[in-house]
Amino acid sequence: MAIRNIRIIGDSVLKKQSKEVKEMSPKIKILIKDMLDTMYAAQGVGLAAPQVGILKRIVVIDISPEGDSPIVLINPVILETSGEQTGEEGCLSVPGKSGTVTRPNYVKVKAFNENMEEVIIEGTELLARAFMHEIDHLYGELYVDKVIGGLRSVNNDEEND
Ligand code: NI
């Protein structure tokens, strides 16, 4: 188990574009494991590789209360979105803050899993929000630029994306 350092807003790496993963390697396998360890340790529901300083198109998500249902998305592409939801969002790179963001309520994503097998995953509500938030990170976008009405301070023990 290895916890990586989470980059905080203001770090220029968070504003950069991530690159496609061409093939799986032992190094990328370790990165994915470390991203999951880091996300769980920080009690987040999602983490993108640039948040640990690696500009690769890799995202991990787990919205389950038990933290036993990890989703790994490599080179994710949004195929379809529909509907709308407006709700609270946070980010491990923006500690202690949350804000209201409008996102699609349904998102269909194509990606590769950790075995580089193509997968298509659909999500609604929190999962749809997590897909959008984490994939935004791969384009150097942070939710703070999409917040309606400004950021708020939250308790440290609240969940973050
Ligand atoms: Ni985030």
Side-chain angles (χ1 to χ4, degrees), residues 30-82:
I30 291 167
L31 169 65
I32 291 168
K33 177 77 171 62
D34 288 355
M35 285 173 64
L36 285 164
D37 289 344
T38 304
M39 174 184 74
Y40 289 128
Q43 294 182 299
V45 298
L47 189 74
Q51 291 183 274
V52 293
I54 307 287
L55 291 169
K56 290 189 187 301
R57 299 185 64 79
I58 303 172
V59 158
V60 297
I61 292 171
D62 191 340
I63 60 157
S64 71
E66 299 81 14
D68 60 359
S69 305
I71 295 170
V72 175
L73 303 177
I74 299 169
N75 303 339
V77 175
I78 296 165
L79 296 179
E80 200 181 321
T81 66
S82 68

Side-chain angles (χ1 to χ4, degrees), residues 19-144:
K19 292 199 169 68
E20 294 229 325
V21 175
K22 303 283 185 209
E23 57 184 3
M24 190 44 60
S25 67
K27 206 174 162 184
I28 291 175
K29 279 205 157 80
I30 291 167
L31 169 65
I32 291 168
K33 177 77 171 62
D34 288 355
M35 285 173 64
L36 285 164
D37 289 344
T38 304
M39 174 184 74
Y40 289 128
Q43 294 182 299
V45 298
L47 189 74
Q51 291 183 274
V52 293
I54 307 287
L55 291 169
K56 290 189 187 301
R57 299 185 64 79
I58 303 172
V59 158
V60 297
I61 292 171
D62 191 340
I63 60 157
S64 71
E66 299 81 14
D68 60 359
S69 305
I71 295 170
V72 175
L73 303 177
I74 299 169
N75 303 339
V77 175
I78 296 165
L79 296 179
E80 200 181 321
T81 66
S82 68
E84 202 177 273
Q85 55 173 322
T86 297
E88 284 303 288
E89 212 160 294
C91 179
L92 293 174
S93 293
V94 190
K97 301 284 181 191
S98 77
T100 304
V101 184
T102 297
R103 300 282 194 185
N105 197 49
Y106 166 85
V107 178
K108 187 188 211 176
V109 175
K110 182 177 83 171
F112 294 94
N113 65 16
E114 60 268 53
N115 301 314
M116 291 307 267
E117 298 157 341
E118 193 175 283
V119 291
I120 290 180
I121 308 178
E122 297 171 292
T124 60
E125 300 177 10
L126 179 57
L127 185 55
R129 178 177 293 282
F131 285 155
M132 299 306 293
H133 177 113
E134 300 308 333
I135 291 171
D136 273 357
H137 275 297
L138 305 181
Y139 294 98
E141 293 176 16
L142 297 176
Y143 87 99
V144 298

